[in-house]
Amino acid sequence: MAIFVAKRLAMMMLTMVAASFLVFAVCEFTPGSVARKSLGPFATQEQVDFLTKKLKADDPLLVRYGRWAGVLLGIIPDPLQDPSTGLNFKDPRGAQYFGNFGYSTLNKLPVNDVIWSRLGNTAILAGLAFLLIVPLSIVFGILSGLKEGGVLDRLLSVICITFTSIPEFASGVFLVTLFVILWPVLPGTSPLDSEGGWSVPSQLVLPVAVLVIYDFGYVARMIRVSMIGVMEKPYIRTAVLKGMSTRQVVIGHALRNAMIAPFTVLLLQINFLISGVVVTELVFAYPGFGRLLLDASLFGDIATIEAATLITVAIAVTTQFVGDLGYMLLDPRIRLR
Amino acid sequence: MSALVEQRAMEATAVKATGRARLKWARILRSPTAMVGLFLVGFWVVAAILAPVLPLYSPTEQDVMALADPTPSAAHWLGVDILGRDELSRLIFGARTVLVVAPLSVAVAMIVGITLGMIAGCYGGWIDAVISRLSDIILAFPVLVLYVILIANIGPSIINIVIATTIASAPGIGRITRGLVLGLKEQEYIAAARLRAESTLYIMLVELLPNCRGMLIVDACLRIGYTIITIGILGFLGLGLPPPNPDWGGMVKESTTVLNVWPLMSVLPSIAIVSLVLGFNLLADGLREAWKP
């Protein structure tokens, strides 16, 4: 068990290193240099050349990646904060500390000042969506998995497939048209302050609805497949044959076993929601992590992109890990192997 | 004599095989979900193919006079967009773009993914370990984040969308193929092929691939649907195909500024995307039900 955990932790670290390097390499294709972005469009070529030299931005990719990793781990100070660059970039935490994501050229602020509050906002959005997706998809999945191919199954399946076919921006357009324009009961924008006359909870309704609409159908389909598999097992047949009522069979025997496989699927949805929030946050002008990542990608703000990538990949590998551990706890057969 | 018997037997299996294949496709006709899906996809495919011969306005031609009232009229059945271009024409020409780019991207991703999965499944050992670990790294990325980072950095074009789709989808396809191959590898006919000293390439292409076909076609349908959504999202994020191409996601984006006044301009391309994606998803579901072993 300890070896398993250690192995997985090592694999997680390796994944994060590889992912951050990949992003670093992809960002090589962005037009415009770090120096140019730090100084703005009106700096002279001499100033840009001076800063490029100062930051050693002409070094090979691997050397610069190593320097970025060194700054992150607190081994070396952030070169952008060196007073001799003349940029006046200051991080109140100091230039050298563990977890230094560097300086955002987009926001002209330390990445750590921006990213965590944005991540908090997104966590509220994704958390609320998750709280609705879990019960909704379990009910839909169990009901349609009870009798495969039955009328109820076909009906619920078509509903689920239809909902998964609606991308977030489309459901955003539909919901805003219905509940903001035609029947104005909700705000169409969610800046999370009550200055516009709408309370903060009312601003969360539509973004959460958009996330739920796109995601719950998929999870319900997964739970349905698992439920069908369980309902075909001999012990269910035995329970039915010995005269138990359908309700008792489902609650007593099927439910717990049918939930083992979807447990992982549900956890992986946390990862999926992080993708989903990019569009949802853009539609509703929600000050979250997804929009920060989008803006940073469009601007080419490598420090922010790298920080956001590391955080998303960390969330992804952690949920996978927790999923596997939970899987082992729920299903004794896997533990034995 | 024995050669003749063998030939008869082979003919018999051949007949049986085609008979079974016909039955397989015939089963789809009896699945209402698959038929609805086929109808939705077929509608857009026919519209896209016939677009140049249909009596439509040019998708880039601006009718400035129509801007006074861009809602549906006798001249423009579905109205015009914010630049006075005919909405119906842009929707139909938009289908051309998406119906070329999405299947093309998925086809390339399938080729790469199936090849990697076959190699990992057939050879095993360190080759499998390297391919699987690399796939895990890419699969750890939230897909859309991967797309945004890739397209924002290498720029939006058809080729780049194909590249991004391949990078994002090939690992998943590879994983499915590998799983199928591992299941099939123990079958007797594979052992028989090995005894006949067939090459690994022959076993992959002739013995394994046809037996993975069903699952992979279903997966491709789902992926085409998902890629259409992704292309729509990229368009909506402003990372879509460059302006002259009418692009459904881009159409929604352009018109969200006037959503309060003329919601139809955003609603119509949204409906177009949903209908096409729904078509592919229903088709995939129908195929899966029909081909269930």
Side-chain angles (χ1 to χ4, degrees):
Chain A
M1 184 70 189
I3 299 171
F4 169 79
V5 172
K7 252 186 168 171
R8 285 301 302 265
L9 285 175
M11 195 57 217
M12 279 161 70
M13 291 308 298
L14 192 69
T15 306
M16 285 172 67
V17 171
S20 62
F21 181 73
L22 269 175
V23 172
F24 215 85
V26 169
C27 288
E28 281 298 286
F29 292 99
T30 332
S33 67
V34 180
R36 171 57 77 187
K37 278 168 196 148
S38 307
L39 291 165
F42 302 116
T44 63
Q45 192 58 41
E46 287 82 52
Q47 284 172 297
V48 174
D49 289 344
F50 172 76
L51 190 63
T52 305
K53 222 169 155 193
K54 200 82 206 158
L55 296 173
K56 303 199 190 89
D58 287 335
D59 283 353
L61 181 66
L62 265 173
V63 175
R64 275 179 292 131
Y65 177 74
R67 200 179 293 133
W68 172 82
V71 171
L72 176 65
L73 297 172
I75 300 166
I76 50 170
D78 185 359
L80 268 175
Q81 286 185 47
D82 192 339
S84 66
T85 56
L87 284 172
N88 201 22
F89 283 175
K90 274 201 187 64
D91 187 340
R93 298 168 196 82
Q96 186 177 357
Y97 61 94
F98 180 78
N100 185 356
F101 278 123
Y103 220 89
S104 159
T105 47
L106 169 68
N107 295 302
K108 310 279 184 237
L109 279 171
V111 174
N112 276 320
D113 279 358
V114 185
I115 208 159
W116 299 107
S117 67
R118 294 294 198 99
L119 193 63
N121 288 344
T122 294
I124 296 172
L125 188 62
L128 284 173
F130 196 65
L131 281 182
L132 287 171
I133 288 169
V134 172
L136 216 66
S137 55
I138 289 179
V139 169
F140 270 67
I142 300 280
L143 285 180
S144 55
L146 275 180
K147 193 161 174 285
E148 191 193 1
V151 180
L152 188 66
D153 178 30
R154 293 317 303 160
L155 181 71
L156 293 180
S157 290
V158 168
I159 292 176
C160 289
I161 295 172
T162 310
F163 276 101
T164 36
S165 307
I166 309 177
E168 291 106 338
F169 66 88
S171 56
V173 165
F174 297 148
L175 290 177
V176 168
T177 306
L178 285 176
F179 298 109
V180 179
I181 298 165
L182 296 180
W183 185 38
V185 285
L186 286 167
T189 167
S190 314
L192 294 191
D193 57 42
S194 39
E195 279 165 31
W198 293 97
S199 66
V200 173
S202 73
Q203 292 175 15
L204 287 169
V205 176
L206 288 182
V208 169
V210 163
L211 285 176
V212 173
I213 283 176
Y214 186 47
D215 200 29
F216 96 93
Y218 172 76
V219 185
R221 301 283 291 160
M222 292 292 151
I223 294 176
R224 169 182 174 270
V225 171
S226 172
M227 187 69 186
I228 289 171
V230 170
M231 292 306 278
E232 283 167 353
K233 288 274 157 63
Y235 59 79
I236 297 290
R237 197 183 52 204
T238 310
V240 173
L241 285 179
K242 78 180 181 193
M244 280 173 86
S245 70
T246 317
R247 174 189 293 268
Q248 277 173 315
V249 173
V250 171
I251 295 175
H253 293 269
L255 219 51
R256 184 167 167 220
N257 287 298
M259 283 311 296
I260 294 175
F263 173 75
T264 333
V265 177
L266 275 172
L267 271 174
L268 287 177
Q269 293 316 300
I270 297 175
N271 193 8
F272 180 85
L273 281 173
I274 293 187
S275 294
V277 293
V278 177
V279 180
T280 313
E281 289 177 357
L282 181 72
V283 172
F284 295 100
Y286 189 94
F289 181 76
R291 241 179 76 217
L292 178 69
L293 175 64
L294 179 66
D295 292 341
S297 301
L298 292 177
F299 187 80
D301 178 357
I302 297 179
T304 308
I305 300 175
E306 279 288 356
T309 309
L310 269 190
I311 292 171
T312 46
V313 174
I315 295 172
V317 291
T318 312
T319 46
Q320 266 172 17
F321 179 61
V322 172
D324 287 353
L325 278 185
Y327 207 71
M328 286 166 74
L329 292 176
L330 281 171
D331 192 344
R333 285 166 300 180
I334 299 174
R335 240 177 299 169
L336 287 174
R337 248 180 254 152
Chain B
M1 178 67 195
S2 73
L4 191 72
V5 171
E6 213 177 291
Q7 202 189 339
R8 282 277 156 77
M10 272 167 72
E11 277 166 10
T13 20
V15 168
K16 228 168 90 191
T18 48
R20 211 161 42 210
R22 199 175 299 138
L23 204 76
K24 253 185 138 179
W25 288 106
R27 258 185 274 169
I28 300 162
L29 296 174
R30 272 186 269 132
S31 157
T33 20
M35 289 319 288
V36 174
L38 206 59
F39 170 77
L40 285 171
V41 174
F43 169 80
W44 283 112
V45 169
V46 171
I49 292 173
L50 294 183
V53 292
L54 290 175
L56 292 166
Y57 293 87
S58 147
T60 49
E61 180 193 309
Q62 287 178 270
D63 182 353
V64 188
M65 297 313 286
L67 272 176
D69 178 23
T71 50
S73 62
H76 300 277
W77 291 356
L78 295 178
V80 293
D81 74 354
I82 46 167
L83 294 176
R85 295 171 297 193
D86 186 62
E87 192 80 15
L88 179 64
S89 163
R90 287 185 71 73
L91 284 177
I92 289 177
F93 276 90
R96 281 175 87 93
T97 331
V98 82
L99 279 171
V100 169
V101 181
L104 179 73
S105 312
V106 173
V108 175
M110 289 302 270
I111 292 171
V112 175
I114 291 172
T115 311
L116 288 175
M118 283 275 171
I119 292 173
C122 278
Y123 290 101
W126 67 270
I127 300 177
D128 180 21
V130 169
I131 292 178
S132 296
R133 287 296 85 76
L134 279 176
S135 306
D136 285 345
I137 291 171
I138 294 176
L139 287 172
F141 269 97
V143 186
L144 190 65
V145 173
L146 191 65
Y147 271 99
V148 168
I149 293 176
L150 276 172
I151 298 292
N153 283 292
I154 61 180
S157 72
I158 292 180
I159 295 291
N160 287 350
I161 288 178
V162 173
I163 293 174
T165 312
T166 307
I167 295 175
S169 316
I173 300 167
R175 187 177 272 188
I176 293 174
T177 313
R178 176 179 172 273
L180 291 170
V181 167
L182 287 182
L184 291 171
K185 235 166 84 174
E186 308 306 321
Q187 299 282 321
E188 277 141 4
Y189 60 84
I190 302 295
R194 285 206 196 282
L195 274 179
R196 292 201 306 271
E198 301 288 6
S199 68
T200 313
L201 188 67
Y202 174 90
I203 293 176
M204 281 184 194
L205 292 179
V206 182
E207 305 284 352
L208 290 171
L209 193 56
N211 285 294
C212 302
R213 191 182 51 192
M215 274 296 286
L216 291 173
I217 293 176
V218 171
D219 187 59
C221 276
L222 288 174
R223 277 180 203 278
I224 291 177
Y226 188 72
T227 308
I228 293 170
I229 290 188
T230 313
I231 294 170
I233 290 177
L234 288 174
F236 183 76
L237 296 180
L239 294 169
L241 298 167
N245 306 310
D247 155 28
W248 290 344
M251 287 168 72
V252 179
K253 179 196 157 68
E254 284 166 8
S255 53
T256 41
T257 45
V258 293
L259 188 66
N260 289 320
V261 207
W262 297 303
L264 203 61
M265 271 183 210
S266 303
V267 169
L268 287 174
S270 300
I271 291 177
I273 293 185
V274 173
S275 65
L276 186 55
V277 175
L278 183 62
F280 278 107
N281 283 350
L282 288 176
L283 193 59
D285 188 62
L287 290 179
R288 185 167 35 206
E289 293 295 315
W291 288 348
K292 207 159 42 184

